[in-house]
């Protein structure tokens, strides 16, 4: 009487998957059940990613093949098993299979073939049996093995029943006499013989002193199955006779005739049998006539004195939820000695570590694979992952590519040396511009200040002062306000600066041309022309900025991808086209100013202003020409640093080239700051 075999194989599959034993060897019996196992069960294992190093069939010993041939074929199979790289070997067999395994392994040891330690997994149909000549053979190969068993609890009175067996009393039971002689290596005296050779059986020998390899005093799963089967048939017979007796009393002859059934028709009553056995366990059948029961998972522990223990370390409950079908008590498991009480691995190759993914080996079983490092930017945080995966946007892979680390928010801050240095330069140049403005205001009535267009110089110095200060808007964590205003403020202020330079250059040229006899240019010389140039250029730039802010204004944003380990806090320019329109207009003004100043560079020395403007615009254009490729090739806070540096460098170039010579003369060479000196140079 046996539960549904499909539940057993599902339990074995769950056991393999629980321990990640995906590379196993299989040996099955040469009988219809073995053929069914190979045909139906093994494909189910393959579908669950369990693959096989070898699949072998136990040799069948018949009169035609002979025992010697069977043993020879069997040892070849076990040669394969011992050489296998799989540590878990599944054996499907019958009650005599363990005895066959002992024989084959004993032959291998006799031939000095290394017998490697394996974890044997045996089906419930297998039982520990042995024959007399195997009494002294080792059973160490079973140490740490697993088997499935029909659940059985300690049966009340079973050991007492066994201990009461006496072969001298039970004369009609010839099996007990034969067993007794085999187990105790003795013989009962025969009345017809005068002398008896060897040890005499007295019948008083104690079964409990026999090693377990010879006889077990406990009720095994097989014994329990037989025990329950007998009781089930008894209950079915009882039910059938009760029903027959009932109808004989009532005189229902038709039903009484129906109950006069053949033995095989007893199945009708067996299906409805339900009773409690001597251990209090319920025994019943389902609608298919199958025993309603699961399986115990047994761990075998052997000892040098040829004794062993069967320890229950889990169970298979087919009626449980899918994730609770298998229950394993890992702390109770004893592993084969070679594995030093650590979980044995049974895989085609070593599991892929964290940071690697599996890649199938061509021409090999599907569970054989190579381990390849994760591609850049991806990780694997479990062993044996099929694919590496991308970290979340706010995290990045570590060097081993097995953990996602949080990214650092990056921006050009005042606390770091680069930001602090730029802030110091900004304030220093702002102070310098203020100082130059103060010098010009204090000496506003001197010839050199008057000759350099006093009003434009004031506007230019104030604009440069604001230009230096506006770089501070680029430092620190970008906010909504700073992002909204910083580019447009810089663009408008810088347009004022460049338009002032352009106005000064045009004013100088017109002033020179007005000195020629008969020239009509004198009417164009004056504040009105310079103011018109500055206002119109500034207004045009302000219009572009207004359209920009009204349509696609800049806003704070995070760049997650440019730098792997950082989140760049930046200002998204909103419209890149508008941003480059602003820069393009400033570039146009700068090129125009440089061209006009360059053409006017050969004016008389008294009008040396053009040379200063030419050199300052050369510096300006050089800085902004290198800015674009540098800006495009940098990322993160260094893009901001490049723009700030370009603003400071170009503004400082204008301040130094245009105003430093004049401040030098005003402060250190006042003797040159006289009208006579200008007239003298002109003449």
């Amino acid at each position: 009487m046996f539960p549904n075999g499909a539940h057993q194989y599902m339990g074995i599959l769950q056991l393999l998957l629980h321990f990640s034993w995906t590379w196993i060897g299989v040996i099955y019996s040469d009988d219809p059940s073995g053929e069914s196992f190979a045909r139906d069960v093994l494909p189910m294992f393959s579908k669950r990613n369990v693959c096989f190093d070898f699949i072998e069939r136990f040799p069948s010993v018949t009169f035609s093949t002979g025992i010697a041939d069977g043993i020879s074929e069997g040892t070849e199979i076990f040669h394969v098993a011992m050489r296998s790289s799989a540590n878990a070997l599944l054996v499907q067999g019958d009650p005599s299979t363990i005895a066959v395994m002992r024989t084959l392994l004993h032959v291998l040891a006799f031939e000095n073939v290394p017998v490697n330690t394996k974890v044997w997994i045996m089906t419930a149909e297998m039982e520990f049996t042995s024959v007399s000549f195997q009494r002294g053979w080792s059973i160490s190969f079973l140490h740490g093995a697993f088997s499935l068993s029909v659940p059985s609890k300690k049966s009340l009175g079973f050991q007492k029943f066994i201990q009461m067996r006496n072969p001298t009393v039970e004369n009609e039971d010839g099996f007990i006499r034969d067993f007794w002689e085999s187990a105790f290596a003795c013989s009962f005296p025969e009345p017809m013989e005068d002398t008896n050779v060897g040890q005499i059986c007295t019948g008083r020998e104690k079964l409990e002193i026999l090693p377990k390899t010879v006889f077990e005093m406990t009720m095994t799963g097989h014994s329990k199955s037989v025990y329950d089967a007998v009781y089930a048939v008894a209950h079915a017979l009882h039910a059938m006779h009760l029903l027959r007796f009932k109808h004989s009393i009532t005189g229902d002859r038709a039903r009484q005739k129906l109950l006069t059934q053949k033995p095989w028709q007893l199945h009708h009553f067996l299906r409805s049998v339900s009773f409690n056995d001597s251990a209090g366990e319920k025994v019943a059948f389902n609608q298919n006539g199958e025993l309603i029961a699961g399986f115990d998972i047994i761990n075998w522990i052997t000892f040098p004195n040829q004794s062993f223990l069967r320890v229950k370390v889990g169970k298979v409950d087919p009626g449980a939820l899918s994730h609770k079908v298998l229950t394993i008590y890992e702390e109770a498991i004893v592993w084969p000695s070679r594995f030093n009480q650590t979980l044995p691995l049974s895989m085609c190759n070593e599991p892929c570590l964290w940071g690697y993914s599996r890649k199938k080996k061509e021409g090999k079983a599907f569970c054989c694979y190579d381990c390849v490092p994760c591609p850049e930017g991806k990780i694997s945080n479990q062993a044996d992952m099929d694919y590496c995966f991308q970290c979340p946007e706010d995290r990045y892979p570590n060097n081993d590519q097995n953990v996602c680390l949080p990214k650092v928010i990056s921006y050009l801050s005042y606390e770091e040396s680069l930001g602090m240095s730029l802030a110091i330069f900004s304030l220093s140049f702002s102070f310098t511009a203020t100082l130059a403005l103060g010098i010009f205001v204090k000496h506003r009535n001197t010839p050199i200040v008057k000759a350099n267009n006093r009003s434009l110089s004031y506007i230019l110095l104030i604009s440069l002062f604001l230009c230096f200060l506006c770089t501070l808007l680029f430092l620190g964590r970008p906010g909504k306000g700073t992002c909204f205003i910083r580019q447009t403020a810089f663009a408008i202020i810088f347009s004022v600066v460049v338009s002032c330079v352009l106005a000064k250059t045009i004013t100088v040229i017109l002033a020179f041309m007005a000195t020629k006899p008969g020239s009509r240019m004198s009417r164009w010389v004056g504040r009105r022309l310079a103011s018109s140039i500055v206002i119109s250029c500034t207004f045009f730039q302000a219009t572009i900025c207004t359209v920009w802010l009204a349509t696609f204004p800049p806003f704070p944003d995070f760049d997650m991808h440019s730098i792997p380990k950082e989140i760049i806090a930046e200002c998204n320019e909103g419209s890149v086209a508008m941003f480059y329109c602003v820069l393009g207009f400033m570039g146009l003004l700068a090129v125009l100013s440089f061209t006009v100043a360059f053409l006017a560079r050969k004016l008389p020395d008294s009008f040396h202003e053009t040379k200063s403007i030419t050199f300052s615009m050369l510096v300006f254009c050089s800085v902004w020409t290198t800015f674009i490729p540098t800006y495009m090739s940098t990322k993160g806070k260094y893009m901001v640093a490049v723009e700030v540096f370009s603003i400071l460098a170009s503004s400082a170039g204008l301040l130094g080239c245009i105003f430093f010579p004049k401040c030098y003369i005003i402060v250190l060479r006042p003797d040159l700051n006289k009208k006579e000196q200008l007239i003298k140079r002109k003449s």
Side-chain angles (χ1 to χ4, degrees):
M1 198 165 67
F2 200 73
N4 189 332
H7 300 325
Q8 171 182 216
Y9 297 125
M10 180 55 68
I12 292 175
L13 175 59
Q14 293 292 333
L15 182 71
L16 295 174
L17 296 178
H18 177 82
F19 292 123
S20 299
W21 291 339
T22 55
W23 180 245
I24 66 172
V26 176
I27 306 175
Y28 64 94
S29 60
D30 185 15
D31 56 28
S33 65
E35 296 296 333
S36 174
F37 169 80
R39 183 182 62 253
D40 301 329
V41 177
L42 295 186
M44 178 183 70
F45 283 26
S46 296
K47 289 179 181 178
R48 296 295 298 274
N49 296 324
V50 175
C51 50
F52 313 105
D53 186 19
F54 66 90
I55 300 175
E56 297 287 349
R57 182 172 55 189
F58 273 114
S60 59
V61 179
T62 64
F63 290 109
S64 60
T65 59
I67 295 177
D69 291 341
I71 291 177
S72 176
E73 187 180 345
T75 52
E76 285 301 317
I77 293 172
F78 272 71
H79 269 291
V80 173
M82 292 302 104
R83 289 194 301 265
S84 171
S85 59
N87 283 322
L89 303 183
L90 174 59
V91 182
Q92 182 273 335
D94 53 39
S96 64
T97 301
I98 291 183
V100 176
M101 291 171 62
R102 292 182 71 189
T103 301
L104 297 176
L105 289 170
H106 187 74
V107 171
L108 289 181
F110 181 77
E111 295 177 353
N112 293 322
V113 176
V115 178
N116 297 323
T117 303
K118 304 291 183 181
V119 179
W120 299 91
I121 304 169
M122 301 176 290
T123 57
E125 294 88 348
M126 296 172 61
E127 185 57 89
F128 189 92
T129 58
S130 63
V131 291
S132 57
F133 61 80
Q134 293 178 327
R135 183 186 291 265
W137 292 1
S138 172
I139 58 170
S140 59
F141 75 97
L142 286 173
H143 186 70
F146 290 94
S147 67
L148 271 70
S149 172
V150 176
S152 62
K153 291 188 176 181
K154 187 176 181 180
S155 181
L156 299 177
F158 181 74
Q159 283 197 0
K160 185 177 180 182
F161 171 79
I162 292 295
Q163 290 168 348
M164 291 175 60
R165 298 305 92 196
N166 190 328
T168 61
V169 176
E170 302 177 18
N171 294 324
E172 295 181 2
D173 193 344
F175 165 76
I176 291 184
R177 290 176 61 88
D178 293 339
F179 163 75
W180 209 273
E181 290 179 339
S182 175
F184 292 102
C186 63
S187 59
F188 287 98
E190 295 293 337
M192 304 298 296
E193 295 183 8
D194 297 331
T195 58
N196 291 280
V197 180
Q199 185 177 345
I200 302 299
C201 295
T202 65
R204 293 189 296 271
E205 291 84 2
K206 300 297 184 182
L207 290 171
E208 53 264 34
I209 69 171
L210 291 173
K212 280 194 172 183
T213 54
V214 177
F215 184 74
E216 294 184 70
M217 293 289 292
T218 56
M219 182 178 285
T220 64
H222 275 238
S223 300
K224 178 68 163 50
S225 296
V226 174
Y227 177 88
D228 288 342
V230 171
Y231 267 90
V233 171
H235 279 276
L237 286 171
H238 181 68
M240 185 177 71
H241 285 292
L242 276 180
L243 189 59
R244 179 183 295 173
F245 178 71
K246 176 182 176 182
H247 290 298
S248 67
I249 293 176
T250 59
D252 191 344
R253 294 187 177 275
R255 287 186 175 272
Q256 191 175 354
K257 183 179 180 181
L258 184 64
L259 288 171
T260 308
Q261 297 173 333
K262 296 180 181 180
W264 60 268
Q265 293 175 315
L266 185 65
H267 290 175
H268 171 76
F269 295 93
L270 278 172
R271 290 176 185 271
S272 58
V273 164
S274 178
F275 63 94
N276 291 337
D277 61 18
S278 59
E281 294 292 313
K282 183 179 179 180
V283 178
F285 300 90
N286 61 18
Q287 65 273 17
N288 298 321
E290 298 167 341
L291 180 65
I292 301 174
F295 292 89
D296 288 339
I297 297 175
I298 304 300
N299 184 213
W300 294 63
I301 304 172
T302 65
F303 302 97
N305 64 353
Q306 296 293 86
S307 62
F308 62 88
L309 288 177
R310 289 186 177 96
V311 179
K312 179 181 175 181
V313 294
K315 64 179 180 179
V316 177
D317 184 1
L321 297 175
S322 58
H323 63 284
K324 293 184 178 180
V325 169
L326 177 73
T327 303
I328 286 287
Y329 315 116
E330 291 193 31
E331 65 280 357
I333 296 175
V334 174
W335 298 109
S337 304
R338 179 167 72 93
F339 301 109
N340 296 320
Q341 205 49 28
T342 58
L343 174 65
L345 297 178
S346 192
M347 309 174 79
C348 182
N349 42 258
E350 291 292 322
C352 292
L353 302 177
W354 292 18
Y356 292 80
S357 63
R358 303 194 299 187
K359 181 181 179 182
K360 187 182 181 304
K361 289 183 179 179
E362 294 297 329
K364 298 288 185 179
F366 62 83
C367 59
C368 299
Y369 47 82
D370 291 317
C371 297
V372 295
C374 289
E376 186 177 355
K378 293 186 176 182
I379 72 156
S380 64
N381 57 2
Q382 294 179 17
D384 268 345
M385 290 193 69
D386 291 323
Y387 302 100
C388 300
F389 61 90
Q390 202 86 29
C391 285
E393 285 191 336
D394 60 342
R395 293 176 176 270
Y396 70 95
N398 64 344
N399 292 334
D400 294 329
Q401 291 182 278
N402 55 20
V403 174
C404 288
L405 302 177
K407 291 182 178 180
V408 178
I409 297 178
S410 171
Y411 55 89
L412 190 60
S413 67
Y414 293 100
E415 288 77 16
E416 59 183 299
S417 56
L418 179 59
M420 187 180 296
S421 301
L422 292 173
I424 291 173
F425 278 117
S426 174
L427 295 174
S428 300
F429 287 136
S430 300
F431 176 76
T432 305
T434 305
L435 185 62
L437 178 62
I439 292 172
F440 264 58
V441 171
K442 184 177 181 181
H443 300 88
R444 59 185 176 277
N445 294 319
T446 59
I448 197 168
V449 174
K450 290 181 178 180
N452 283 279
N453 199 326
R454 182 169 51 187
S455 299
L456 276 180
S457 296
Y458 292 163
I459 296 172
L460 181 57
L461 284 170
I462 292 171
S463 299
L464 287 172
F465 168 77
L466 295 175
C467 219
F468 290 128
L469 286 183
C470 83
T471 58
L472 298 177
L473 295 173
F474 291 82
L475 305 180
R477 183 162 184 165
K480 188 174 182 179
T482 54
C483 286
F484 187 81
I485 198 173
R486 72 181 191 181
Q487 292 288 8
T488 53
F490 154 67
I492 294 172
I493 294 169
F494 226 59
S495 295
V496 174
V497 170
V498 180
S499 61
C500 284
V501 173
L502 178 62
K504 285 173 73 71
T505 307
I506 293 175
T507 301
V508 169
I509 293 174
L510 292 177
F512 172 73
M513 295 177 67
T515 59
K516 293 181 179 180
S519 175
R520 298 179 181 180
M521 292 295 177
S522 57
R523 61 181 178 177
W524 293 100
V525 179
R527 295 182 180 179
R528 185 175 297 178
L529 175 64
S531 300
S532 299
I533 293 172
V534 173
I535 291 172
S536 60
C537 292
T538 305
F539 178 78
F540 188 81
Q541 184 70 289
T543 302
I544 297 175
C545 291
T546 302
V547 173
W548 183 10
L549 295 179
T551 54
F552 303 103
F555 57 90
D557 196 11
F558 292 104
D559 181 0
M560 302 283 193
H561 307 292
S562 296
I563 301 178
K565 299 181 181 181
E566 297 179 1
I567 298 175
I568 303 169
E570 62 178 6
C571 288
N572 189 311
E573 307 305 346
S575 172
V576 177
M578 296 301 295
F579 174 66
Y580 283 108
C581 282
V582 168
L583 290 182
F585 181 71
M586 286 191 293
L588 178 65
L589 288 179
V591 171
L592 185 61
S593 298
F594 174 72
T595 303
V596 173
F598 181 78
L599 294 175
R601 71 190 186 282
K602 293 184 179 180
L603 292 177
D605 287 344
S606 58
F607 297 94
H608 61 280
E609 177 84 349
T610 55
K611 294 181 179 178
S612 299
I613 292 174
T614 302
F615 189 70
S616 67
M617 293 311 299
L618 180 63
V619 173
F620 182 94
C621 291
S622 299
V623 169
W624 286 102
T625 301
T626 57
F627 161 77
I628 294 176
T630 308
Y631 184 81
M632 297 298 293
S633 62
T634 53
K635 296 177 181 179
K637 60 185 178 183
Y638 298 105
M639 293 181 71
V640 179
V642 167
E643 186 172 0
V644 171
F645 176 80
S646 299
I647 295 171
L648 292 177
S650 56
S651 302
L654 292 174
L655 179 64
C657 293
I658 295 176
F659 293 101
F660 179 75
K662 300 172 180 58
C663 290
Y664 173 78
I665 291 173
I666 293 171
V667 177
L668 299 178
R669 296 295 303 274
D671 56 298
L672 299 178
N673 190 11
K674 294 180 180 180
K675 189 175 182 180
E676 294 79 10
Q677 291 293 330
L678 294 175
I679 296 173
K680 183 179 177 181
R681 289 184 181 183
K682 183 177 179 180
S683 60

